[in-house]
């Protein structure tokens, strides 16, 4: 099976591995997404499958359009402003069960007849949880 290319122009995509592993490339850079890993694909970036899965794998794939501007950086900021989430390109979740549960709720609510307001609110929950998970990991690594 040939790799399939998806080019999402405006949305941010988050993939969370739930079992086994898949191989993908984002902007030509290879990633192996395993259970408990999180991969972020930012607007205008291309993600393609890199190789067939060795075994049936599963993952959650969220798409959302940012309601405010995005900032890109290579380092984690020393201070975070209120209402800001920081998502790295790729990281291993410390507590994947929280993010997976919130992502599942998001998918359930957005596939029902929900309102835009509730969709926006529910989208913020897994994104905030992912950002918090990463934030706590980074702060544990910093010298105190």
């Amino acid at each position: 099976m040939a790799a399939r290319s998806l080019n999402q122009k405006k949305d941010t995509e988050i993939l969370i591995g739930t079992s086994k592993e898949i191989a993908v490339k984002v902007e030509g850079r290879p990633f192996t997404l395993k259970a408990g890993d999180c991969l972020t694909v930012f607007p205008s970036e291309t993600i393609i499958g890199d190789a067939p899965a060795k075994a049936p794998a599963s993952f959650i794939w969220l798409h959302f359009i940012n309601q405010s501007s995005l900032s890109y950086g290579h380092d984690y900021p020393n201070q975070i402003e209120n209402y800001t989430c920081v998502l790295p390109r790729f990281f291993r979740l410390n507590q994947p069960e929280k993010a997976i549960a919130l992502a599942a709720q998001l998918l359930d609510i957005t596939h029902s007849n929900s309102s835009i307001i509730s969709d926006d609110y529910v989208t913020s929950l897994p994104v905030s949880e992912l950002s918090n998970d990463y934030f706590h990991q980074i702060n544990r690594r910093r010298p105190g």
Side-chain angles (χ1 to χ4, degrees), residues 71-81 84-91 127-142:
S71 298
Y72 299 96
H74 295 287
D75 297 313
Y76 195 85
N78 290 328
Q79 293 187 354
I80 299 176
E81 295 179 25
T84 299
C85 289
V86 175
L87 293 176
R89 164 74 70 206
F90 185 81
F91 74 109
V127 173
S128 296
E129 177 56 35
L130 293 169
S131 182
N132 285 336
D133 189 298
Y134 183 64
F135 176 76
H136 291 301
Q137 290 183 51
I138 293 300
N139 281 326
R140 278 196 297 263
R141 291 183 201 150
R142 288 187 177 165

Side-chain angles (χ1 to χ4, degrees), residues 4-142:
R4 193 172 83 141
S5 177
L6 297 174
N7 190 349
Q8 304 297 335
K9 300 293 184 205
K10 295 180 181 176
D11 62 338
T12 297
E13 303 172 59
I14 298 174
L15 287 75
I16 303 170
T18 56
S19 73
K20 307 293 186 205
E21 64 183 51
I22 59 167
V24 298
K25 285 185 180 179
V26 177
E27 295 296 294
R29 183 175 166 203
F31 294 93
T32 300
L33 185 73
K34 299 177 183 177
D37 288 343
C38 180
L39 174 67
T40 307
V41 182
F42 299 102
S44 301
E45 293 184 332
T46 301
I47 180 170
I48 62 170
D50 195 26
K54 296 175 184 166
S58 63
F59 55 94
I60 295 172
W61 194 338
L62 305 174
H63 300 252
F64 60 93
I65 296 176
N66 304 311
Q67 299 300 319
S68 60
S69 63
L70 289 176
S71 298
Y72 299 96
H74 295 287
D75 297 313
Y76 195 85
N78 290 328
Q79 293 187 354
I80 299 176
E81 295 179 25
N82 289 336
Y83 310 108
T84 299
C85 289
V86 175
L87 293 176
R89 164 74 70 206
F90 185 81
F91 74 109
R92 180 135 189 94
L93 290 161
N94 187 46
Q95 296 182 314
E97 61 282 348
K98 287 177 150 182
I100 290 169
L102 290 168
Q105 289 175 347
L106 168 62
L107 292 171
D108 183 53
I109 289 170
T110 57
H111 290 121
S112 67
N113 291 328
S114 60
S115 70
I116 292 173
I117 293 170
S118 64
D119 289 353
D120 286 350
Y121 170 71
V122 176
T123 300
S124 71
L125 296 175
V127 173
S128 296
E129 177 56 35
L130 293 169
S131 182
N132 285 336
D133 189 298
Y134 183 64
F135 176 76
H136 291 301
Q137 290 183 51
I138 293 300
N139 281 326
R140 278 196 297 263
R141 291 183 201 150
R142 288 187 177 165

